[in-house]
Every structure is written in C-alpha cells, then in structure tokens.
Amino acid sequence: MQLPSALLEQAVAEFSKLPGIGKKTALRLVLHLLKQDPDKVRAFAESMVHMRTDTHFCQRCFNISDSLLCSICSNPMRKQEMICVVESIRDVIAIESTQQYNGTYHVLGGIISPLDGVGPDQLYIDQLIERTRTGDIKEIIFALNPTIQGDTTIYYIQKKLQPSEIRFTTIARGISFGGELEYADEMTLARSLQHRMPVDQLKV
Amino acid sequence: MQLPSALLEQAVAEFSKLPGIGKKTALRLVLHLLKQDPDKVRAFAESMVHMRTDTHFCQRCFNISDSLLCSICSNPMRKQEMICVVESIRDVIAIESTQQYNGTYHVLGGIISPLDGVGPDQLYIDQLIERTRTGDIKEIIFALNPTIQGDTTIYYIQKKLQPSEIRFTTIARGISFGGELEYADEMTLARSLQHRMPVDQLKV
C-alpha cells in the first residue's frame, strides 16, 4: 500500500502498532481523524499522553488510579479485610462491572509463567504479602484465569503466606452459565463433577 | 463499565469516537498504551496531530499531500493529460496499489447525494472544470462507485463540461474477477451482458 503523504504513512504506522489493528484498519482510522477538526485530533492526542503520564498505580493494590490510593482502596465502604487477587487491571474492571464484590483488589501485574520468562519477582507478590502483615486481612480470593500458570501462581502465593489465619478461596470453576455440557472440554467437565455443589446453593 | 480512573475513562471515550471502535476495543487499546513507554505514547499522539495539521490537500487534485502539489501531480513521468475522478483519497490509494494507472487524479471529496444533503457545490467539481480549461486534458476516467449517486455525479460533471473534445470513460462494470455468475445480482448481470466485450480483449 503506497500512501501519498509521509505524515499519513507515519500515522498509519503508529496506529498499526496497536494490538488487533492492521494496516487497512489503521488507514481507515487515520483518514477519519484527517476529516476531523484539528482541535478534536489534538484533544484525542492529548488525552492519550495525559492518561499515560498522569495516572499512577495505586500504592496499595496496583490498580490504576488518578491519585496515590485508588478509589477502591480509599473507599471506607469497601471491606478492606478482603483482597481479590487478579492478574490485570482489566480483571478488576470485569469484576467491578458485576457489582457483586465489595472488597478490595490486588493486581499482580501478570502470572507466574516460566515459559514467558515471568517469575514471582516480576509480580507484585511481595507487596501482597506485605499487605497481610497487618493481620487485618481475613480472606484472599484468587480470581486468576483457570490455567496451569494461574494455579501455579495461587499455589506459590498460598505457600508463601503459610502459616496463616487467612481464608484462601478461588472463584468457582465449572460450566459457564448458559453453556452446553456436550461442548465443555473434558477437564472442565471432570472438575465440575468433582467439585459438585448442593442444589440448594443455586440461586437464580 | 466502571473505570477506576477518570483519565483512563476519558482516553477510552476518545478512542470510542473512532469508527468501528467500541468501548471494549477502546479499553483494550488504551490499556495497551498504558503499558508502553511514555515516549512511545507521546510519539503516537504527536504523529496524529502532525498528520492532521501539517498535511495539505493538493492544490490541483485535492489528494492528500505533504506539499502544495501532491507527489502525483508534481511527477513529470505521470500523464498529466489524463484525470481519474474519484470520490475519496482512499480510492486513490486503492487504484495506486494496482500499479496499472499512470495518469493524474481528481478527488471530489464525496459524490452528489441529495438524500445526505450533498450537492455539487460541496464537492471539488468546479476545480475539476477549471483544470480542463487549459485544453490539455484528453481523457477523464470516472472511477466512482457504481451506484445511483455515482452515476448521477458522472452525468452532472459530463453535462457541465459539454461541449468538449475530452474523452469521457468510466471503469468497467461487470462480474468481479473470480466471482460466480449465480451469485451476481440481476442488475450487474444484465449490464455485463449489455456491455459484453470481444473475447480477444481478454488479457490474463
């Protein structure tokens, strides 16, 4: 694809660096911006720089935040004795949108994955252990993806925290709501049989 | 979707304004930028502003350009006596990528479409007529989308240029290469029968 302007070409190249954006999509987006008012394009650009340079990681839970403590950690209405351990900020957003959780979070920044060169030291695990030192934490809920790496991470953190009075739990694994048994993989089906639960726990 | 940072929320809102980018995709792109080096995000942002404020429309053909005349209009190797009339810059890029055309272009900036409130005055039609005044133009090729609006635009421009020595042509319409007859719509099939061509014109 030969573009008539070097500046256009550069803008397309920048957009193509974003995940899931190919050359054709990038061109469509750039040509859209080209048609906009220069002030609007400037607002778009400034908002990206602003977001990148002026947001912080929460000092306590490493969620993204506009101030030193995020809005969840600094909210006295949230149960500070409960920590939900997640891999990324995106998981915080997903759980928050269920409106079913009223505790705090701890964002690890990844999961232990030796194949990808990610060890415990690259994650915010020490900071999580530090948070439990106060003795106020009653429960740690692991909300990690149900993969080998996720399970390894849970195992590692739990081991590091022993001996402890803290209750360790993980989000339930099983057949997705609305899912069909025949299409579930064997591992999921086997585990959901193994961890079967009393019918009276079902809530609609 | 509740986001933990107002700056993040603003960046997501800005991205969502782009065509085909929903809230979820916008969040994915913004979180990707958040993980990048601040300098890279700045480069991304500056490249957009740069592209918007420092590119011009070519004075002659209204293609996008880094200088007053675009690289096609200022190229002495291109046949300046041939003008290919297109709707948008994207069409120039599409035709250029075929590497089959060696003339110049004229970008109308749209097509006549009364239903969308686009009349001849909003398009660069007068400038096209002006270009033909020199008497050097030998052929005008209309490469507009084969729709009612496209045909109306062709008809309007041709009428405006009469009487004239210029040869008016339009890109061939018919069954797409690799297409299947049974799936072609009736209009296309009917027209491709009507405008049938000698077999010896087929080139592989």
Side-chain angles (χ1 to χ4, degrees):
Chain A
M1 196 162 57
Q2 219 187 338
L3 298 184
S5 148
L7 293 171
L8 191 74
E9 192 139 4
Q10 202 190 331
V12 169
E14 283 289 343
F15 250 117
S16 313
K17 288 181 192 165
L18 299 179
I21 306 283
K23 272 240 162 181
K24 284 221 165 184
T25 308
L27 179 64
R28 191 161 50 85
L29 298 176
V30 168
L31 288 181
H32 173 84
L33 285 179
L34 191 65
K35 276 192 277 179
Q36 303 306 304
D37 204 74
D39 284 343
K40 283 198 179 161
V41 177
R42 221 169 274 126
F44 171 82
E46 275 165 13
S47 145
M48 296 307 141
V49 174
H50 219 48
M51 178 273 301
R52 179 61 190 86
T53 53
D54 297 347
T55 53
H56 313 271
F57 288 114
C58 170
Q59 281 187 326
R60 194 181 290 165
C61 74
F62 300 95
N63 187 7
I64 190 174
S65 170
D66 292 345
S67 44
L68 290 178
L69 272 190
C70 77
S71 54
I72 295 171
C73 284
S74 59
N75 184 349
M77 305 291 284
R78 311 270 313 208
K79 290 182 183 160
Q80 301 290 331
E81 69 270 21
M82 249 175 144
I83 301 179
C84 179
V85 176
V86 294
E87 184 180 334
S88 74
I89 295 162
R90 228 187 295 185
D91 300 325
V92 173
I93 296 168
I95 296 174
E96 281 298 288
S97 66
T98 68
Q99 301 190 313
Q100 295 292 314
Y101 179 65
N102 197 28
T104 64
Y105 292 91
H106 191 88
V107 180
L108 292 177
I111 46 174
I112 298 174
S113 175
L115 281 178
D116 300 316
V118 182
D121 296 343
Q122 279 125 296
L123 308 176
Y124 296 120
I125 291 178
D126 288 341
Q127 289 84 345
L128 173 63
I129 291 165
E130 196 57 44
R131 281 179 74 179
T132 65
R133 289 268 157 78
T134 58
D136 295 337
I137 305 301
K138 298 211 173 96
E139 180 171 359
I140 290 183
I141 306 169
F142 292 99
L144 302 177
N145 289 331
T147 58
I148 300 290
Q149 290 89 342
D151 288 354
T152 307
T153 309
I154 293 176
Y155 183 75
Y156 178 88
I157 294 176
Q158 198 185 4
K159 195 103 187 183
K160 271 265 185 178
L161 282 170
Q162 294 301 351
S164 160
E165 300 276 288
I166 298 169
R167 184 176 171 225
F168 295 101
T169 56
T170 171
I171 49 167
R173 292 155 187 209
I175 310 293
S176 291
F177 189 79
E180 295 189 44
L181 280 201
E182 61 173 318
Y183 298 122
D185 64 294
E186 290 161 27
M187 188 83 155
T188 300
L189 201 51
R191 281 196 180 188
S192 73
L193 269 171
Q194 199 181 331
H195 301 291
R196 59 194 178 277
M197 52 192 251
V199 171
D200 52 18
Q201 279 182 25
L202 279 185
K203 272 192 216 166
V204 182
Chain B
M1 198 160 58
Q2 218 188 340
L3 298 182
S5 148
L7 293 171
L8 191 74
E9 192 139 4
Q10 200 190 332
V12 169
E14 283 289 342
F15 251 117
S16 313
K17 288 180 192 166
L18 299 178
I21 307 282
K23 272 239 161 181
K24 285 221 163 182
T25 308
L27 179 64
R28 191 161 51 86
L29 298 176
V30 169
L31 288 179
H32 173 84
L33 285 178
L34 192 66
K35 277 194 278 179
Q36 304 304 306
D37 204 75
D39 284 344
K40 284 198 180 163
V41 177
R42 220 168 275 125
F44 170 84
E46 276 165 14
S47 144
M48 295 308 141
V49 174
H50 218 49
M51 178 273 300
R52 180 60 190 86
T53 53
D54 297 347
T55 53
H56 313 270
F57 287 113
C58 169
Q59 282 186 326
R60 195 179 290 164
C61 75
F62 300 94
N63 187 6
I64 190 174
S65 170
D66 293 345
S67 44
L68 289 179
L69 272 189
C70 76
S71 54
I72 295 171
C73 284
S74 58
N75 184 350
M77 305 291 285
R78 311 268 316 208
K79 289 181 186 161
Q80 301 290 332
E81 70 270 21
M82 250 175 144
I83 300 178
C84 179
V85 175
V86 294
E87 182 180 337
S88 74
I89 295 162
R90 227 186 297 185
D91 300 326
V92 174
I93 296 168
I95 295 174
E96 280 299 286
S97 66
T98 67
Q99 302 191 313
Q100 295 292 315
Y101 179 65
N102 197 29
T104 63
Y105 292 92
H106 192 87
V107 180
L108 293 179
I111 45 175
I112 298 174
S113 175
L115 279 179
D116 300 316
V118 182
D121 296 343
Q122 278 124 300
L123 308 175
Y124 296 121
I125 291 178
D126 287 342
Q127 290 84 346
L128 173 63
I129 292 166
E130 195 58 43
R131 279 179 76 179
T132 64
R133 290 267 157 79
T134 59
D136 295 337
I137 306 301
K138 297 212 175 93
E139 182 172 356
I140 290 183
I141 305 169
F142 291 99
L144 302 178
N145 289 331
T147 57
I148 300 290
Q149 290 88 344
D151 288 353
T152 307
T153 310
I154 293 176
Y155 183 76
Y156 178 87
I157 295 175
Q158 198 185 3
K159 195 104 188 180
K160 271 264 186 181
L161 283 168
Q162 295 300 353
S164 158
E165 299 276 286
I166 299 170
R167 186 177 169 223
F168 295 101
T169 58
T170 171
I171 49 167
R173 293 157 184 206
I175 310 293
S176 292
F177 189 78
E180 294 188 47
L181 282 202
E182 60 174 318
Y183 298 121
D185 62 294
E186 288 162 28
M187 188 83 156
T188 301
L189 201 51
R191 281 198 181 185
S192 74
L193 269 172
Q194 198 181 331
H195 302 292
R196 61 195 178 276
M197 53 192 253
V199 170
D200 52 17
Q201 279 182 25
L202 278 184
K203 270 193 217 166
V204 182

